[in-house]
Amino acid sequence: MAVRGVITWSPSVTLVPTRGCFNACTYCSFRLPVDRAPVLLLAEASAQLEARPAAAEVLLLSGEVAPGAPQRAAWFGHLRALSALALRHGRLPHTNAGPLSVREMVALARLNPSMGLMLEGLGPAYEALHGRAPSKSLEVRLAQLEQAGRLGVPFTTGLLLGVGETMAERERALHVLADLQRRWGHLQEVILQPWRPDGDTPQHLKPSEQQELLATIAMARQLLPAEVNLQTPPNLWPIELLPQVLEAGISDLGGIDVHDVINPAYPQPPVAELRQRLQHRGWELEARTCVHRAWWSWLPEALRRRVERGARLLASVSAQADATHL
Ligand code: SF4
């Protein structure tokens, strides 16, 4: 069968520097109060990296300390230390830790080939969810996405879907991202992430929600410049939807860890199964680094060389990554 195209994914391990977060998004089951949250020790982080040798990407996913709070400097220093640790292990950190000051973003960009911050969305439904989450205000999110563009940081953003927003609001949010991309060109990927309730048992998307997801993917593909990769996490929709998801415009399945830290009730499909299903339809699954190849030339030379080494690591361990679901 002729190959129809390449779908990418990133073998990844998630490190959580802290669950302490000064925001209180109403849907969040990840956060702990800042003063009661344990901090991930460097020795623990090393052990997690050593246990996952094929995970080229290290997703640093952290709760947030308020700007100006006395604990902010220590929190940020720890993000830097964990990023440096990932590099020492031959891995590539990708930090998603909320809005950063210019100084903080510049410092992390020397260690992180790419970073991320979800736009999440706009409109009354999002405002209701984020009444006690100052860093989730639309103004703050847009300023952060602009800042990343101005600084030339390859960036991942996205929308959280299914929290009460309308299709028209999804469309407006996609227009905002398209405008940002036309100004700065830094959005390497946009994640379209269905919100899923917590609990012991996964609650799968209803057929109407599946259709809305497919329509949103198609709309995103139409509105966003062609170089922006579209991603949706494969554990948050029924695996049988895979062909339609790809036909609608998805080109990337994101960083896949053994567990989803944010949605622990939703197991990741085995990568070997994803590969098989894709091959059956004429698609190839290809491992990538956290920064997509088209943005490698944006990186400082030392970091670019590390990314090139990371890509070679991926090529040498891809069979192992499939087998161990990394
Ligand atoms: S910012 Fe993230 S960690 Fe903090 S409360 Fe909101 S969803 Fe949870």
Side-chain angles (χ1 to χ4, degrees):
M1 182 186 289
V3 176
R4 298 169 75 180
V6 171
I7 306 301
T8 47
W9 72 293
S10 174
S12 108
V13 57
T14 305
L15 299 183
V16 177
T18 177
R19 287 178 183 252
C21 189
F22 83 110
N23 291 311
C25 307
T26 56
Y27 50 80
C28 181
S29 57
F30 173 90
R31 79 175 283 273
L32 293 171
V34 171
D35 55 355
R36 274 188 272 141
V39 168
L40 179 68
L41 301 176
L42 292 181
E44 293 168 345
S46 274
Q48 289 184 38
L49 296 181
E50 282 160 16
R52 305 287 308 289
E57 173 179 342
V58 177
L59 173 62
L60 293 173
L61 191 63
S62 185
E64 302 173 30
V65 171
Q71 306 98 325
R72 179 86 181 186
W75 171 83
F76 182 72
H78 197 49
L79 291 179
R80 285 181 68 169
L82 287 167
S83 297
L85 179 80
L87 292 176
R88 285 202 297 282
H89 279 260
R91 317 299 177 83
L92 301 170
H94 172 101
T95 296
N96 188 334
L100 302 169
S101 69
V102 172
R103 186 188 59 78
E104 289 168 343
M105 189 176 274
V106 167
L108 275 192
R110 292 194 195 104
L111 303 170
N112 285 244
S114 56
M115 289 189 246
L117 183 86
M118 296 287 277
L119 176 68
E120 296 212 354
L122 47 74
Y126 293 95
E127 286 159 22
L129 295 171
H130 297 137
R132 291 190 299 129
S135 80
K136 292 280 177 89
S137 87
L138 184 59
E139 200 178 37
V140 170
R141 305 308 259 191
L142 291 179
Q144 188 70 179
L145 293 173
E146 287 274 354
Q147 175 179 296
R150 225 172 20 251
L151 294 175
V153 180
F155 217 71
T156 296
T157 188
L159 305 183
L160 184 65
L161 306 175
V163 295
E165 79 285 3
T166 64
M167 287 298 282
E169 285 160 350
R170 292 185 188 182
E171 184 176 355
R172 271 176 53 215
L174 289 167
H175 275 296
V176 166
L177 295 180
D179 285 349
L180 275 163
Q181 179 65 2
R182 280 191 281 270
R183 272 205 301 287
W184 302 110
H186 65 313
L187 297 182
Q188 60 159 356
E189 47 187 18
V190 166
I191 305 173
L192 298 169
Q193 178 170 335
W195 174 77
R196 297 287 72 217
D198 292 324
D200 296 333
T201 318
Q203 293 184 38
H204 295 299
L205 289 181
K206 293 185 284 217
S208 60
E209 293 170 322
Q210 295 176 25
Q211 290 312 310
E212 283 180 1
L213 172 63
L214 294 173
T216 305
I217 294 168
M219 186 160 64
R221 191 60 290 161
Q222 196 189 356
L223 295 179
L224 291 167
E227 72 276 10
V228 179
N229 293 284
L230 284 187
Q231 181 192 128
T232 188
N235 61 322
L236 300 182
W237 34 265
I239 193 70
E240 296 72 28
L241 206 61
L242 184 61
Q244 289 156 272
V245 157
L246 302 182
E247 295 293 347
I250 289 298
S251 58
D252 186 90
L253 297 175
I256 301 185
D257 192 349
V258 176
H259 305 291
D260 181 338
V261 170
I262 300 294
N263 296 285
Y266 297 80
Q268 300 284 9
V271 172
E273 182 186 345
L274 285 172
R275 186 179 299 285
Q276 202 175 32
R277 284 177 178 268
L278 288 167
Q279 275 173 349
H280 185 64
R281 297 272 178 164
W283 302 86
E284 267 182 16
L285 185 65
E286 186 176 288
R288 61 161 176 89
T289 61
C290 61
V291 59
H292 287 266
R293 195 173 284 268
W295 281 263
W296 287 11
S297 63
W298 288 38
L299 301 174
E301 195 184 337
L303 203 47
R304 183 165 44 76
R305 281 201 301 270
R306 287 182 182 277
V307 169
E308 287 164 357
R309 280 200 293 275
R312 287 197 289 276
L313 166 75
L314 281 178
S316 68
V317 298
S318 61
Q320 181 192 357
D322 269 23
T324 57
H325 186 185
L326 292 177

Coordinates of all heavy atoms in Angstrom, one line a residue, residues 86-165:
A86 N 17.8 16.8 32.9 CA 17.4 16.1 31.7 C 18.5 16.1 30.6 O 18.8 15.1 30.0 CB 16.1 16.7 31.2
L87 N 19.1 17.3 30.4 CA 20.1 17.4 29.4 C 21.3 16.5 29.7 O 21.9 15.8 28.8 CB 20.5 18.8 29.2 CG 19.5 19.8 28.6 CD1 20.1 21.2 28.6 CD2 19.1 19.4 27.2
R88 N 21.7 16.5 31.0 CA 22.8 15.6 31.4 C 22.5 14.2 31.1 O 23.4 13.4 30.9 CB 23.1 15.8 32.9 CG 23.8 17.1 33.2 CD 24.6 17.1 34.5 NE 23.8 16.9 35.7 CZ 23.0 17.8 36.2 NH1 23.0 19.1 35.8 NH2 22.3 17.6 37.3
H89 N 21.2 13.8 31.2 CA 20.9 12.4 30.9 C 20.7 12.2 29.4 O 20.3 11.1 28.9 CB 19.5 12.0 31.6 CG 19.7 11.7 33.0 ND1 19.7 10.4 33.5 CD2 19.9 12.4 34.1 CE1 19.9 10.4 34.8 NE2 20.0 11.6 35.2
G90 N 21.0 13.2 28.6 CA 20.9 13.0 27.1 C 19.5 13.2 26.6 O 19.2 12.7 25.5
R91 N 18.6 13.8 27.4 CA 17.2 14.0 27.0 C 16.9 15.4 26.7 O 17.8 16.3 27.0 CB 16.3 13.5 28.1 CG 16.6 12.2 28.8 CD 16.7 11.0 27.9 NE 17.2 9.9 28.7 CZ 16.4 9.1 29.4 NH1 15.1 9.4 29.5 NH2 16.9 8.1 30.1
L92 N 15.7 15.7 26.3 CA 15.4 17.1 25.8 C 14.2 17.5 26.7 O 13.1 17.0 26.5 CB 15.0 17.1 24.4 CG 16.1 16.6 23.5 CD1 15.6 16.4 22.0 CD2 17.3 17.5 23.5
P93 N 14.4 18.5 27.5 CA 13.3 19.0 28.3 C 12.3 19.9 27.6 O 12.7 20.7 26.7 CB 14.0 19.8 29.5 CG 15.3 20.2 28.9 CD 15.7 19.2 27.9
H94 N 11.0 19.8 27.9 CA 10.0 20.6 27.3 C 9.2 21.1 28.5 O 8.5 20.3 29.1 CB 9.2 19.9 26.3 CG 7.9 20.6 25.8 ND1 7.9 21.2 24.6 CD2 6.7 20.8 26.4 CE1 6.7 21.8 24.4 NE2 6.0 21.5 25.5
T95 N 9.3 22.4 28.9 CA 8.6 22.8 30.1 C 7.3 23.4 29.9 O 7.1 24.3 29.0 CB 9.5 23.8 30.9 OG1 10.7 23.2 31.3 CG2 8.9 24.4 32.1
N96 N 6.3 23.0 30.7 CA 5.0 23.6 30.7 C 4.6 23.9 32.1 O 4.2 23.1 32.9 CB 4.0 22.6 30.1 CG 2.6 23.3 29.8 OD1 2.3 24.2 30.5 ND2 1.9 22.8 28.9
A97 N 4.9 25.2 32.5 CA 4.8 25.5 33.9 C 4.1 26.8 34.1 O 4.4 27.6 35.1 CB 6.2 25.6 34.6
G98 N 3.2 27.2 33.2 CA 2.5 28.4 33.4 C 3.2 29.6 32.8 O 4.3 29.5 32.3
P99 N 2.6 30.8 32.9 CA 3.2 32.0 32.4 C 4.6 32.3 33.1 O 4.7 32.2 34.3 CB 2.2 33.1 32.7 CG 0.9 32.4 32.8 CD 1.3 31.0 33.4
L100 N 5.6 32.7 32.3 CA 6.9 33.0 32.8 C 7.2 34.5 32.5 O 6.7 35.0 31.5 CB 7.9 32.2 32.1 CG 7.8 30.6 32.2 CD1 8.7 29.9 31.3 CD2 8.0 30.2 33.7
S101 N 8.0 35.1 33.3 CA 8.5 36.5 33.0 C 9.5 36.4 31.8 O 9.9 35.3 31.4 CB 9.3 37.1 34.2 OG 10.5 36.4 34.4
V102 N 9.8 37.5 31.2 CA 10.7 37.5 30.1 C 12.1 36.9 30.5 O 12.6 36.0 29.8 CB 11.0 38.9 29.5 CG1 12.1 38.9 28.5 CG2 9.7 39.5 28.9
R103 N 12.5 37.3 31.7 CA 13.8 36.8 32.2 C 13.8 35.3 32.4 O 14.7 34.5 32.0 CB 14.2 37.5 33.5 CG 15.5 37.2 34.1 CD 15.7 37.7 35.5 NE 14.7 37.2 36.4 CZ 14.8 36.0 37.0 NH1 15.8 35.2 36.7 NH2 13.8 35.6 37.8
E104 N 12.7 34.8 32.9 CA 12.5 33.3 33.2 C 12.5 32.6 31.8 O 13.1 31.5 31.7 CB 11.3 33.1 34.0 CG 11.4 33.5 35.4 CD 10.0 33.5 36.2 OE1 8.9 33.5 35.5 OE2 10.0 33.6 37.4
M105 N 11.7 33.1 30.9 CA 11.6 32.4 29.6 C 12.9 32.4 28.9 O 13.3 31.3 28.3 CB 10.5 33.0 28.8 CG 10.2 32.2 27.5 SD 8.8 32.9 26.6 CE 7.4 32.1 27.4
V106 N 13.6 33.5 28.9 CA 14.9 33.5 28.2 C 15.9 32.4 28.9 O 16.6 31.7 28.2 CB 15.6 34.9 28.3 CG1 17.0 34.9 28.0 CG2 14.8 35.9 27.4
A107 N 15.9 32.4 30.2 CA 16.7 31.4 30.9 C 16.4 30.0 30.5 O 17.2 29.1 30.3 CB 16.7 31.7 32.4
L108 N 15.1 29.7 30.5 CA 14.7 28.3 30.3 C 14.9 27.9 28.8 O 15.1 26.8 28.5 CB 13.2 28.1 30.6 CG 12.9 27.7 32.1 CD1 11.5 27.3 32.2 CD2 13.8 26.6 32.6
A109 N 14.8 28.9 27.9 CA 14.9 28.7 26.5 C 16.4 28.2 26.1 O 16.6 27.6 25.1 CB 14.5 29.9 25.7
R110 N 17.3 28.5 27.0 CA 18.7 28.1 26.8 C 18.8 26.6 27.1 O 19.7 25.9 26.6 CB 19.7 28.8 27.7 CG 19.8 30.2 27.4 CD 21.0 30.9 28.0 NE 20.9 32.3 28.0 CZ 20.6 33.1 29.0 NH1 20.4 32.6 30.2 NH2 20.5 34.4 28.9
L111 N 17.9 26.0 27.8 CA 17.9 24.6 28.2 C 16.8 23.8 27.6 O 16.9 22.6 27.5 CB 17.8 24.5 29.8 CG 18.8 25.3 30.6 CD1 18.4 25.3 32.1 CD2 20.2 24.6 30.4
N112 N 15.7 24.4 27.2 CA 14.5 23.7 26.6 C 14.4 24.0 25.1 O 14.2 25.1 24.7 CB 13.3 24.2 27.3 CG 13.0 23.7 28.7 OD1 12.1 23.0 29.0 ND2 13.9 24.1 29.6
P113 N 14.5 23.0 24.3 CA 14.3 23.2 22.9 C 13.0 23.7 22.5 O 12.8 24.4 21.5 CB 14.6 21.8 22.2 CG 15.3 21.0 23.3 CD 14.9 21.6 24.6
S114 N 12.0 23.4 23.3 CA 10.6 23.9 23.1 C 9.9 24.0 24.4 O 10.3 23.4 25.4 CB 9.8 23.0 22.2 OG 9.8 21.7 22.7
M115 N 8.9 24.9 24.5 CA 8.1 25.0 25.7 C 6.6 25.1 25.3 O 6.3 25.2 24.1 CB 8.5 26.3 26.4 CG 9.9 26.3 27.1 SD 10.1 27.7 28.1 CE 11.4 28.5 27.2
G116 N 5.8 25.1 26.3 CA 4.4 25.1 26.0 C 3.5 25.8 27.0 O 3.9 26.0 28.2
L117 N 2.4 26.2 26.5 CA 1.3 26.8 27.4 C 0.0 26.7 26.6 O -0.1 27.3 25.5 CB 1.6 28.3 27.7 CG 0.6 28.9 28.7 CD1 1.0 28.7 30.1 CD2 0.6 30.4 28.4
M118 N -1.0 26.1 27.2 CA -2.3 26.0 26.5 C -3.0 27.3 26.5 O -3.0 28.0 27.6 CB -3.2 25.0 27.2 CG -2.7 23.5 27.1 SD -2.8 22.7 25.5 CE -4.5 22.2 25.6
L119 N -3.5 27.8 25.4 CA -4.4 28.9 25.4 C -5.7 28.5 26.2 O -6.2 29.3 26.9 CB -4.8 29.3 24.0 CG -5.8 30.5 23.9 CD1 -5.2 31.8 24.5 CD2 -6.3 30.7 22.5
E120 N -6.1 27.3 26.0 CA -7.3 26.6 26.6 C -8.6 27.1 25.8 O -9.3 26.3 25.3 CB -7.4 26.8 28.1 CG -6.3 26.1 28.8 CD -6.6 25.6 30.2 OE1 -7.7 25.9 30.7 OE2 -5.8 24.9 30.8
G121 N -8.8 28.4 25.8 CA -10.0 28.8 25.1 C -10.5 30.2 25.5 O -9.7 30.9 26.3
L122 N -11.6 30.6 25.0 CA -12.1 32.0 25.4 C -13.6 31.9 25.4 O -14.2 31.0 24.9 CB -11.6 33.0 24.4 CG -11.7 32.7 22.9 CD1 -13.1 32.8 22.3 CD2 -10.8 33.7 22.1
G123 N -14.1 32.9 26.1 CA -15.6 33.0 26.3 C -16.0 32.7 27.7 O -15.2 32.3 28.5
P124 N -17.3 32.8 27.9 CA -17.9 32.8 29.3 C -17.6 31.4 30.0 O -17.4 31.4 31.2 CB -19.4 33.0 29.1 CG -19.6 33.5 27.8 CD -18.4 33.2 26.9
A125 N -17.6 30.3 29.3 CA -17.4 29.0 29.9 C -16.0 28.9 30.5 O -15.9 28.5 31.7 CB -17.6 27.9 28.9
Y126 N -15.0 29.4 29.8 CA -13.6 29.4 30.4 C -13.5 30.4 31.5 O -12.8 30.1 32.5 CB -12.6 29.7 29.3 CG -12.6 28.7 28.2 CD1 -13.3 28.8 27.1 CD2 -11.8 27.5 28.5 CE1 -13.3 27.8 26.1 CE2 -11.8 26.5 27.5 CZ -12.5 26.6 26.4 OH -12.5 25.6 25.4
E127 N -14.2 31.6 31.4 CA -14.1 32.5 32.5 C -14.7 32.0 33.8 O -14.1 32.2 34.9 CB -14.8 33.8 32.1 CG -14.0 34.6 31.1 CD -14.8 35.6 30.3 OE1 -15.9 36.0 30.8 OE2 -14.4 36.0 29.2
A128 N -15.8 31.2 33.6 CA -16.4 30.6 34.8 C -15.5 29.6 35.5 O -15.4 29.5 36.7 CB -17.7 30.0 34.4
L129 N -14.7 28.8 34.7 CA -13.8 27.8 35.3 C -12.6 28.4 35.9 O -12.0 27.8 36.8 CB -13.3 26.9 34.1 CG -14.4 26.0 33.4 CD1 -13.7 25.4 32.2 CD2 -14.9 25.0 34.3
H130 N -12.3 29.6 35.5 CA -11.0 30.2 36.0 C -11.1 31.4 36.8 O -10.2 32.2 36.9 CB -10.1 30.5 34.7 CG -9.8 29.3 33.9 ND1 -9.9 29.2 32.6 CD2 -9.4 28.0 34.3 CE1 -9.6 28.0 32.2 NE2 -9.3 27.3 33.2
G131 N -12.3 31.6 37.5 CA -12.5 32.7 38.4 C -11.4 32.8 39.5 O -11.1 33.9 39.9
R132 N -10.9 31.7 39.9 CA -9.8 31.7 40.9 C -8.5 31.2 40.4 O -7.7 30.5 41.0 CB -10.3 30.8 42.1 CG -11.4 31.5 42.9 CD -11.7 30.8 44.2 NE -12.1 29.4 44.0 CZ -11.6 28.4 44.7 NH1 -10.6 28.6 45.6 NH2 -12.0 27.2 44.4
A133 N -8.2 31.5 39.1 CA -7.0 31.1 38.4 C -6.4 32.3 37.7 O -6.6 32.4 36.5 CB -7.3 29.9 37.5
P134 N -5.7 33.2 38.4 CA -5.3 34.4 37.7 C -4.5 34.2 36.5 O -4.6 34.9 35.5 CB -4.5 35.1 38.8 CG -4.9 34.5 40.1 CD -5.4 33.1 39.8
S135 N -3.7 33.1 36.5 CA -2.8 33.0 35.3 C -3.5 32.4 34.1 O -3.0 32.2 33.0 CB -1.5 32.1 35.6 OG -1.8 30.8 35.7
K136 N -4.8 32.0 34.3 CA -5.6 31.5 33.1 C -6.4 32.6 32.5 O -7.2 32.3 31.6 CB -6.5 30.4 33.6 CG -5.8 29.1 34.1 CD -5.4 28.3 32.9 CE -4.6 27.0 33.3 NZ -5.4 25.9 33.5
S137 N -6.2 33.9 32.9 CA -7.0 34.9 32.2 C -6.5 35.0 30.7 O -5.3 34.8 30.4 CB -6.8 36.3 32.9 OG -5.7 36.9 32.4
L138 N -7.4 35.3 29.8 CA -7.1 35.4 28.4 C -6.0 36.4 28.1 O -5.1 36.1 27.3 CB -8.4 35.7 27.6 CG -8.2 35.7 26.1 CD1 -7.8 34.4 25.6 CD2 -9.5 36.2 25.5
E139 N -6.0 37.5 28.8 CA -5.0 38.5 28.6 C -3.6 38.0 29.0 O -2.7 38.2 28.2 CB -5.4 39.7 29.6 CG -4.8 41.0 29.2 CD -5.2 42.1 30.3 OE1 -5.4 41.7 31.5 OE2 -5.5 43.2 29.8
V140 N -3.5 37.3 30.1 CA -2.2 36.7 30.5 C -1.7 35.7 29.5 O -0.6 35.6 29.1 CB -2.3 36.1 31.9 CG1 -1.1 35.3 32.3 CG2 -2.6 37.2 32.9
R141 N -2.6 34.8 29.1 CA -2.3 33.7 28.1 C -1.8 34.3 26.8 O -0.8 33.9 26.2 CB -3.4 32.8 27.8 CG -4.1 32.2 29.0 CD -3.2 31.5 29.9 NE -3.2 30.0 29.8 CZ -2.6 29.2 30.7 NH1 -2.0 29.7 31.7 NH2 -2.5 27.9 30.5
L142 N -2.5 35.3 26.3 CA -2.1 35.9 25.0 C -0.8 36.6 25.1 O 0.0 36.5 24.2 CB -3.2 36.9 24.5 CG -4.5 36.2 24.1 CD1 -5.5 37.3 23.6 CD2 -4.3 35.2 23.0
A143 N -0.6 37.3 26.2 CA 0.7 38.0 26.4 C 1.8 37.0 26.4 O 2.9 37.2 25.9 CB 0.7 38.8 27.7
Q144 N 1.6 35.8 27.0 CA 2.6 34.8 27.1 C 2.9 34.2 25.7 O 4.1 34.0 25.4 CB 2.2 33.7 28.1 CG 3.2 32.7 28.4 CD 4.4 33.2 29.3 OE1 5.2 32.5 29.6 NE2 4.3 34.5 29.7
L145 N 1.9 34.0 25.0 CA 2.1 33.5 23.6 C 2.8 34.5 22.7 O 3.7 34.1 21.9 CB 0.8 33.0 23.0 CG 0.1 31.8 23.7 CD1 -1.3 31.6 23.1 CD2 0.9 30.6 23.5
E146 N 2.5 35.8 22.9 CA 3.2 36.8 22.2 C 4.7 36.9 22.6 O 5.5 37.0 21.8 CB 2.6 38.2 22.5 CG 1.2 38.5 21.9 CD 1.3 39.0 20.5 OE1 2.4 39.3 20.0 OE2 0.2 39.1 19.9
Q147 N 4.9 36.8 23.9 CA 6.3 36.8 24.4 C 7.1 35.7 23.8 O 8.2 35.9 23.4 CB 6.2 36.8 25.9 CG 7.6 36.7 26.6 CD 7.4 36.7 28.1 OE1 6.9 37.6 28.7 NE2 7.9 35.6 28.7
A148 N 6.5 34.5 23.8 CA 7.3 33.4 23.3 C 7.6 33.6 21.8 O 8.7 33.3 21.3 CB 6.5 32.1 23.4
G149 N 6.7 34.2 21.1 CA 6.9 34.5 19.7 C 8.0 35.6 19.5 O 8.9 35.4 18.7
R150 N 7.9 36.6 20.3 CA 9.0 37.7 20.3 C 10.4 37.1 20.6 O 11.4 37.6 20.0 CB 8.6 38.8 21.3 CG 8.7 40.2 20.7 CD 8.2 41.3 21.6 NE 8.1 41.0 23.0 CZ 6.9 40.8 23.6 NH1 5.8 40.9 23.0 NH2 6.9 40.6 24.9
L151 N 10.4 36.2 21.5 CA 11.7 35.6 21.9 C 12.2 34.5 21.0 O 13.3 33.9 21.1 CB 11.6 35.1 23.3 CG 11.4 36.2 24.4 CD1 11.3 35.5 25.8 CD2 12.6 37.2 24.4
G152 N 11.3 34.1 20.0 CA 11.7 33.1 19.1 C 11.8 31.7 19.7 O 12.7 30.9 19.3
V153 N 10.9 31.4 20.6 CA 10.9 30.1 21.3 C 9.9 29.1 20.6 O 8.7 29.4 20.5 CB 10.4 30.2 22.8 CG1 10.4 28.8 23.4 CG2 11.3 31.1 23.5
P154 N 10.3 28.0 20.0 CA 9.4 27.0 19.4 C 8.4 26.6 20.5 O 8.7 26.2 21.6 CB 10.3 25.9 19.0 CG 11.7 26.5 18.9 CD 11.7 27.6 19.9
F155 N 7.1 26.8 20.1 CA 6.1 26.7 21.2 C 4.9 25.8 20.9 O 4.5 25.7 19.7 CB 5.6 28.1 21.4 CG 5.3 28.4 22.9 CD1 6.3 28.6 23.8 CD2 4.0 28.6 23.3 CE1 6.0 28.9 25.1 CE2 3.7 28.8 24.6 CZ 4.7 29.0 25.5
T156 N 4.4 25.2 21.9 CA 3.2 24.3 21.8 C 2.1 25.0 22.6 O 2.3 25.4 23.7 CB 3.5 22.9 22.4 OG1 4.5 22.3 21.7 CG2 2.3 22.1 22.4
T157 N 0.9 25.1 22.0 CA -0.2 25.6 22.7 C -1.4 24.7 22.3 O -1.2 23.7 21.6 CB -0.5 27.1 22.4 OG1 -1.5 27.6 23.2 CG2 -0.9 27.3 20.9
G158 N -2.6 25.1 22.7 CA -3.7 24.3 22.3 C -5.0 24.7 23.0 O -5.0 25.7 23.8
L159 N -6.1 24.0 22.7 CA -7.4 24.3 23.2 C -7.9 23.1 24.1 O -7.7 22.0 23.7 CB -8.4 24.5 22.1 CG -8.1 25.6 21.1 CD1 -9.2 25.8 20.1 CD2 -7.8 26.9 21.7
L160 N -8.5 23.4 25.2 CA -9.2 22.4 26.0 C -10.7 22.4 25.5 O -11.3 23.5 25.6 CB -9.1 22.8 27.5 CG -9.7 21.8 28.5 CD1 -8.9 20.5 28.5 CD2 -9.6 22.5 29.9
L161 N -11.1 21.3 25.1 CA -12.4 21.2 24.4 C -13.5 20.5 25.3 O -13.2 19.6 26.1 CB -12.3 20.4 23.1 CG -11.2 20.8 22.1 CD1 -11.2 19.8 21.0 CD2 -11.5 22.2 21.7
G162 N -14.7 21.0 25.2 CA -15.8 20.3 25.9 C -16.1 20.8 27.3 O -16.5 20.0 28.2
V163 N -15.8 22.1 27.6 CA -16.1 22.6 29.0 C -17.3 23.6 28.9 O -17.4 24.3 29.9 CB -14.9 23.2 29.6 CG1 -13.8 22.2 29.8 CG2 -14.4 24.4 28.7
G164 N -18.1 23.5 27.9 CA -19.2 24.4 27.8 C -19.1 25.4 26.7 O -20.0 26.2 26.5
E165 N -18.0 25.4 26.0 CA -17.8 26.5 25.0 C -18.6 26.1 23.7 O -18.9 24.9 23.5 CB -16.3 26.6 24.7 CG -15.7 25.5 23.8 CD -15.5 24.2 24.4 OE1 -15.8 24.1 25.6 OE2 -15.0 23.3 23.8

